[in-house]
C-alpha cells in the first residue's frame, strides 16, 4: 500500500520561497507550462486533496531541480553519528558527504542546500494550502482534516530543519517577492510553533493505523512526534515548551505517549526483523511512516523528485555482483565496528540491522571508500524491493519507518524515569522481551543504550547523542587510530573529530545568507 502522489502543475514548484530563490530566478520568470495555475486551482475538494498530496510529496525528496547530490535525512544523521562513515566509491565520490562524516561542513555544501530547499518547499506548500483552504467549498470536517495534516507536515519539516540548522526563519504564510528574507527565530519560538502545530492537529487527525489512513498522518503519529520534539528540545536547550497557551513539559509529553500505548492499537511485531520487510509496510508497529513506491516508474535523472523512489537503499547497498539476495548499490554509510560491538552477544537485532560481508553476502563485493565489511540491512537493495520498471537507481520503494512503537515505548520509559513514574521498567521490558534478552534496570543510561541497538541505522542515534550534551557527542563521535578487522583504507579515512563549536549543526547555506545579506545570519 502506498500513498497517492499527483504531479501538480508548475506553480507549486515556483513558490519555493526564499530558501531556494537564489537558484530559481530564471525559473520564476517562465510562463506557466500548462493551464493549471494558482488562479484557477484551489477551487474544488479534488484540488485541495491534490494540493495536500503535493505536501506529502516533499517528504520523499532527497534531491531537487537545482541538483547538488542526494541527502536522505536518516542516512545523513547516521553518517554524522558514530554508527556509520560516509562511504561511496572513493574520496572524490561525494566530498560533501565526507564533510558531514568529518564534522567539517562548509557553507557551500551542496547537500545542506538541497536539504534546506526541499524542506522549505514543503513548508511553502503547506502554508499555501492552509491559506486557500477556507475558501474551498467542502465540508468543515474535511477542511479540518486537511488543515490538521498540513500542520502535522509543517511541524515535521520544521523539526527536521531546526534539528540540523538551529536558528532558522519561521514562516507561517506564503511569501511574495520582496518578502523572501526573514530573520531566524529563536529556538523557543520555533519549537513552540512546532508543538502548537501538532497539538492543533490532534482533534481532526484520524485515530487509526496507517493502513486505514492510507499512509496519511494519524492522531497517534502526531502525539508520538510531539514527544520526540519535546525530548530533543529539553535535551539540547534544557527547557520546556510553550505551545500557544499550552505548556508542554515532561508530564504532557508522557501523557501523549501513554495515549498511544494504551489506546492506539499499535504494538510490537513478534519478529523484530519483520519491521523492514515489504509485507510489513504500515504494520501495527509503524506509528509514522514515509511512503515510497516503484508504481510510477521513473527515468528522469534531471528531475528525480518527479518519481516516488527512495534513494537511500540504493546509496547504502553494497557494491556487489552475483549475490542471490542483494543487488548492487553505491556503498555509502558503511557501518562502524563500534555499532556492531554495541549489541549484546545473543541479540538478534544485530543480524537484522547489519549486513555483514563475511556472514550475509556470497557475491563479489567491490571495496568502496571507508570499507568496513558492514552495511545497513534495514534499508538496502534486497530483491523484494528491486525495481522492475523504470531507471534501476531511481525506483526503490522501501518505505521509511520514521516512528516505530518500540520508539514510543522507549521514549515513555525515559520520561517515566525523569518524572519519577512507575511504568519505566514495564515499557523498557517490552522492548527487550520481544528479542528474548534478559532483564536490565530501566535507568537512563540503559534506555539510551537500548535506543541505540533497537533503533540503529534508522536515523536517530545522532539526535540522541546531541540531546545528551556536546560532551557526550564528542566522546562517542570523535575516534582516532581505531580500526575494525574488516576496515580497508588508510587510517586517516576513519579518524573523525566532532567539532563542539558547531553544536552539531549544518551551516546555513551560503547562497541563502548572500541572498538575504544582513537579515539571515550564519548559525555558527
Amino acid at each position: 500500500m502506498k500513498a497517492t502522489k499527483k504531479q501538480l502543475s508548475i506553480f507549486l514548484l515556483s513558490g519555493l520561497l526564499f530558501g531556494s530563490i537564489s537558484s530559481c530566478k530564471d525559473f520564476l520568470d517562465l510562463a506557466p507550462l500548462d493551464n493549471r495555475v494558482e488562479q484557477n486551482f484551489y477551487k474544488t475538494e479534488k484540488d485541495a486533496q491534490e494540493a495536500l498530496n503535493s505536501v506529502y510529496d516533499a517528504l520523499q525528496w532527497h534531491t531537487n531541480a537545482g541538483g547538488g547530490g542526494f541527502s536522505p535525512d536518516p542516512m545523513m544523521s547516521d553518517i554524522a553519528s558514530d554508527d556509520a562513515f560516509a562511504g561511496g566509491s572513493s574520496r572524490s565520490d561525494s566530498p560533501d558527504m565526507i564533510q558531514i562524516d568529518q564534522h567539517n561542513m562548509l557553507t557551500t555544501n551542496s547537500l545542506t542546500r538541497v536539504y534546506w530547499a526541499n524542506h522549505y518547499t514543503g513548508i511553502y506548500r503547506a502554508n499555501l494550502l492552509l491559506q486557500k483552504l477556507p475558501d474551498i467549498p467542502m465540508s468543515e470536517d474535511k477542511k479540518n482534516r486537511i488543515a490538521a495534516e498540513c500542520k502535522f507536515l509543517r511541524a515535521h519539516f520544521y523539526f527536521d530543519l531546526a534539528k540540523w540548522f538551529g536558528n532558522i526563519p519561521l514562516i507561517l504564510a506564503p511569501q511574495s517577492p520582496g518578502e523572501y528574507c526573514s530573520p531566524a527565530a529563536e529556538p523557543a519560538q520555533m519549537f513552540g510553533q512546532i508543538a502548537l502545530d501538532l497539538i492543533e492537529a490532534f482533534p481532526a487527525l484520524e485515530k487509526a493505523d496507517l493502513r486505514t489512513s492510507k499512509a496519511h498522518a494519524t492522531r497517534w503519529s502526531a502525539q508520538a512526534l510531539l514527544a520526540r520534539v519535546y525530548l530533543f528540545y529539553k535535551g539540547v536547550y534544557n527547557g520546556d515548551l510553550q505551545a500557544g497557551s499550552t505548556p508542554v513539559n515532561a508530564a504532557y509529553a508522557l501523557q501523549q505517549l501513554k495515549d498511544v500505548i494504551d489506546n492506539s492499537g499499535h504494538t510490537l511485531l513478534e519478529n523484530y526483523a519483520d519491521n523492514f520487510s515489504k509485507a510489513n509496510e504500515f504494520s501495527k508497529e509503524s506509528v509514522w511512516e514515509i511512503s515510497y513506491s516503484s508504481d510510477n516508474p521513473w527515468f528522469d535523472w534531471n528531475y528525480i523528485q518527479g518519481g516516488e523512489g527512495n534513494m537511500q537503499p540504493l546509496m547504502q547497498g553494497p557494491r556487489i555482483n552475483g549475490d542471490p539476495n542483494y543487488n548492487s548499490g553505491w556503498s555509502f554509510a558503511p557501518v562502524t565496528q563500534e555499532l556492531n560491538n554495541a549489541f549484546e552477544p545473543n541479540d538478534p537485532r544485530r543480524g537484522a540491522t547489519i549486513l555483514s560481508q563475511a556472514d550475509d553476502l556470497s557475491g563479489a563485493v567491490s571495496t568502496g571508500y571507508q570499507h568496513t565489511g558492514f552495511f545497513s540491512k534495514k534499508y538496502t537493495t534486497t530483491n523484494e524491493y528491486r525495481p522492475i520498471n523504470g531507471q534501476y537507481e531511481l525506483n526503490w520503494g522501501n518505505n521509511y519507518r520514521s516512528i516505530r512503537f518500540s520508539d514510543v515505548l522507549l521514549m515513555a520509559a525515559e520520561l517515566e524515569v525523569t518524572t519519577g513514574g512507575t511504568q519505566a521498567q514495564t515499557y523498557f521490558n517490552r522492548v527487550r522481551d520481544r528479542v528474548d534478552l534478559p532483564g536490565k534496570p530501566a535507568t537512563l543510561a540503559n534506555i539510551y543504550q537500548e535506543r541505540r541497538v533497537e533503533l540503529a541505522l534508522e536515523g536517530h542515534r545522532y539526535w540522541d547523542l546531541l540531546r545528551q550534551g556536546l560532551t557526550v557527542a564528542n566522546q562517542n563521535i570523535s575516534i582516532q587510530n581505531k580500526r575494525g578487522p574488516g576496515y580497508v583504507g588508510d587510517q586517516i579515512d576513519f579518524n573523525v573529530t566532532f567539532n563542539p563549536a558547531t553544536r552539531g549543526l549544518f551551516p546555513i547555506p551560503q547562497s541563502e545568507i548572500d541572498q538575504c545579506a544582513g537579515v539571515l545570519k550564519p548559525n555558527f
Side-chain angles (χ1 to χ4, degrees):
M1 184 186 306
K2 298 287 184 180
T4 301
K5 183 188 78 175
K6 300 291 186 182
Q7 291 302 314
L8 297 184
S9 52
I10 206 75
F11 74 86
L12 276 174
L13 291 174
S14 68
L16 301 187
L17 53 99
F18 77 95
S20 57
I21 190 70
S22 60
S23 63
C24 62
K25 286 183 178 178
D26 293 338
F27 177 75
L28 289 171
D29 292 336
L30 295 176
L33 300 184
D34 65 14
N35 61 2
R36 303 180 76 197
V37 294
E38 186 174 332
Q39 288 72 19
N40 61 24
F41 196 69
Y42 297 102
K43 301 297 184 185
T44 67
E45 182 178 328
K46 182 175 181 292
D47 290 345
Q49 189 59 56
E50 286 193 49
L52 178 61
N53 289 344
S54 81
V55 187
Y56 277 98
D57 181 24
L59 289 173
Q60 297 179 327
W61 293 359
H62 295 155
T63 187
N64 64 32
F70 309 104
S71 53
D73 182 293
M75 190 183 83
M76 289 195 304
S77 57
D78 285 335
I79 287 171
S81 79
D82 53 345
D83 282 355
F85 294 110
S89 64
S90 67
R91 285 192 185 100
S92 60
D93 192 353
S94 181
D96 290 346
M97 196 69 79
I98 294 172
Q99 289 178 19
I100 295 173
D101 177 34
Q102 297 294 318
H103 291 271
N104 186 27
M105 284 170 280
L106 303 178
T107 59
T108 53
N109 187 296
S110 64
L111 301 180
T112 65
R113 177 175 57 79
V114 164
Y115 194 84
W116 178 282
N118 287 349
H119 281 66
Y120 271 113
T121 299
I123 291 164
Y124 170 82
R125 291 180 174 190
N127 285 342
L128 185 59
L129 180 51
L130 285 168
Q131 182 188 72
K132 300 291 187 180
L133 194 58
D135 297 326
I136 299 175
M138 55 195 301
S139 73
E140 288 303 310
D141 284 347
K142 289 181 178 178
K143 283 185 182 181
N144 290 339
R145 179 186 56 78
I146 290 175
E149 291 185 55
C150 280
K151 289 184 177 182
F152 172 88
L153 292 168
R154 184 169 68 182
H156 194 286
F157 290 125
Y158 268 129
F159 183 43
D160 283 349
L161 287 169
K163 286 187 301 181
W164 276 119
F165 294 99
N167 294 23
I168 56 172
L170 176 61
I171 300 163
L172 301 175
Q175 294 178 307
S176 301
E179 301 176 335
Y180 291 125
C181 295
S182 301
E186 291 298 318
Q189 181 186 6
M190 172 60 70
F191 281 87
Q193 181 62 49
I194 293 169
L196 180 62
D197 271 352
L198 293 171
I199 291 169
E200 289 183 345
F202 286 170
L205 291 176
E206 286 189 84
K207 289 185 174 182
D209 60 42
L210 292 173
R211 292 189 177 183
T212 302
S213 74
K214 295 182 170 59
H216 286 245
T218 69
R219 168 73 175 256
W220 319 120
S221 308
Q223 289 178 293
L225 182 57
L226 178 65
R228 180 179 287 177
V229 169
Y230 172 78
L231 283 168
F232 181 82
Y233 184 82
K234 180 68 173 180
V236 173
Y237 297 102
N238 194 31
D240 293 334
L241 291 170
Q242 188 67 36
S245 61
T246 303
V248 178
N249 54 23
Y252 186 89
L254 180 58
Q255 178 186 349
Q256 310 315 310
L257 294 174
K258 286 189 172 183
D259 194 20
V260 177
I261 293 168
D262 296 338
N263 301 311
S264 71
H266 286 292
T267 190
L268 299 175
L269 295 178
E270 183 176 348
N271 180 15
Y272 175 83
D274 286 348
N275 275 292
F276 309 99
S277 68
K278 193 171 185 178
N280 281 291
E281 290 177 345
F282 309 117
S283 74
K284 60 186 180 181
E285 186 163 339
S286 191
V287 179
W288 172 233
E289 191 163 317
I290 297 176
S291 178
Y292 294 92
S293 176
S294 59
D295 295 341
N296 176 31
W298 200 250
F299 294 89
D300 191 351
W301 280 99
N302 293 315
Y303 188 63
I304 293 171
Q305 71 271 33
E308 298 181 36
N310 185 352
M311 292 299 297
Q312 182 167 334
L314 182 278
M315 294 183 75
Q316 293 184 159
R319 294 174 180 269
I320 192 166
N321 287 301
D323 191 277
N325 300 309
Y326 298 94
N327 302 275
S328 183
W330 293 348
S331 71
F332 284 95
V335 175
T336 63
Q337 184 70 41
E338 283 73 22
L339 176 58
N340 185 70
N341 295 346
F343 291 88
E344 294 167 62
N346 297 321
D347 191 339
R349 291 174 295 189
R350 178 195 281 114
T353 299
I354 299 176
L355 186 62
S356 167
Q357 180 179 349
D359 299 332
D360 299 315
L361 301 175
S362 60
V365 178
S366 298
T367 300
Y369 179 59
Q370 296 175 312
H371 185 84
T372 66
F374 297 128
F375 307 90
S376 171
K377 199 171 187 177
K378 291 179 175 178
Y379 297 103
T380 191
T381 49
T382 56
N383 279 343
E384 69 171 346
Y385 277 111
R386 181 186 172 94
I388 298 174
N389 299 304
Q391 183 71 31
Y392 170 79
E393 294 87 351
L394 304 183
N395 290 279
W396 292 88
N398 312 51
N399 282 7
Y400 171 55
R401 284 67 164 173
S402 181
I403 304 177
R404 293 195 288 112
F405 188 69
S406 59
D407 190 1
V408 170
L409 290 170
L410 291 173
M411 287 192 290
E414 182 177 343
L415 286 167
E416 283 279 336
V417 170
T418 59
T419 59
T422 61
Q423 297 297 306
Q425 194 68 53
T426 299
Y427 297 146
F428 184 69
N429 287 349
R430 286 185 67 179
V431 176
R432 290 182 60 82
D433 288 347
R434 191 250 298 266
V435 289
D436 295 322
L437 289 176
K440 290 171 65 175
T443 63
L444 282 180
N446 285 341
I447 290 169
Y448 273 118
Q449 170 61 19
E450 197 66 24
R451 288 183 62 82
R452 184 180 191 186
V453 293
E454 170 69 25
L455 306 172
L457 303 182
E458 297 177 45
H460 305 303
R461 169 67 172 174
Y462 187 57
W463 313 117
D464 283 349
L465 289 174
L466 288 184
R467 65 191 183 89
Q468 292 177 77
L470 295 179
T471 299
V472 171
N474 187 25
Q475 289 171 345
N476 285 274
I477 294 171
S478 293
I479 297 178
Q480 300 292 319
N481 301 319
K482 291 181 66 176
R483 297 175 66 86
Y487 286 22
V488 177
D490 298 332
Q491 178 60 51
I492 193 173
D493 294 333
F494 302 102
N495 292 336
V496 175
T497 301
F498 180 75
N499 183 4
T502 69
R503 294 174 288 131
L505 301 175
F506 277 174
I508 292 176
Q510 189 64 46
S511 57
E512 310 306 326
I513 293 173
D514 292 344
Q515 178 71 29
C516 299
V519 178
L520 185 60
K521 301 180 185 300
N523 52 348
F524 56 83

